[in-house]
Amino acid sequence: MRLELSRRTDLAVRAIRSLAGSGRIKRPELAAQAETTPDFLARVVAPLVKAGWVRSEVGRAGGYELAVDPATLSMLDVIVAVEGSPDDGRCVLRGGPCGTQEVCSLHDAWTHARQALMEQLGRTPVMGD
């Protein structure tokens, strides 16, 4: 059983934290702050732009800037934007959905654990420590 997120989520959180209170930051500078390449940063920030949390301007005066108060974003918000919903209902034993008639031996325990994790991530602010 593996519970891990991709590097994209980590970089998205770093980007949001760097942009908080900074105004507009050019892509190369933001990439350096997030310790990644400008091209990979653009792919990481794209879902944040699509969600309306970050504005992206092209050109000499362009760059990225926050479009929302980062205090309104939870870790779950960022995870869902970048990776998709982690609560996909997949069975941890069988890989697919648990059957409606016959569920796996971990179904109830995993359902409760997954729900607790989602609730905790939803309460964890992106701007937290």
Side-chain angles (χ1 to χ4, degrees), residues 34-79:
E35 301 176 356
T36 191
T37 65
D39 289 341
F40 191 60
L41 176 79
R43 288 187 295 229
V44 167
V45 174
L48 307 180
V49 172
K50 184 177 179 181
W53 304 334
V54 173
R55 277 191 288 277
S56 174
E57 298 290 330
V58 296
R60 292 190 72 151
Y64 296 111
E65 65 183 315
L66 279 180
V68 298
D69 178 355
T72 65
L73 300 176
S74 73
M75 292 301 291
L76 182 60
D77 294 330
V78 176
I79 292 166

Side-chain angles (χ1 to χ4, degrees), residues 55-112:
R55 277 191 288 277
S56 174
E57 298 290 330
V58 296
R60 292 190 72 151
Y64 296 111
E65 65 183 315
L66 279 180
V68 298
D69 178 355
T72 65
L73 300 176
S74 73
M75 292 301 291
L76 182 60
D77 294 330
V78 176
I79 292 166
V80 169
V82 174
E83 312 236 3
S85 178
D87 189 10
D88 63 3
R90 290 176 52 102
C91 176
V92 293
L93 294 178
R94 298 178 184 156
C98 273
T100 54
Q101 317 246 306
E102 181 183 330
V103 296
C104 75
S105 58
L106 288 178
H107 181 79
D108 290 339
W110 187 249
T111 298
H112 293 297

Side-chain angles (χ1 to χ4, degrees), residues 8-20 22 25 30-31 33-34 36 41 44-45 48 54 64-66 126-127:
R8 288 173 172 256
T9 297
D10 177 47
L11 292 174
V13 170
R14 288 187 200 195
I16 291 169
R17 288 179 175 180
S18 291
L19 291 169
S22 297
I25 300 177
L30 185 57
Q33 290 179 20
T36 191
L41 176 79
V44 167
V45 174
L48 307 180
V54 173
Y64 296 111
E65 65 183 315
L66 279 180
V126 169
M127 296 306 294

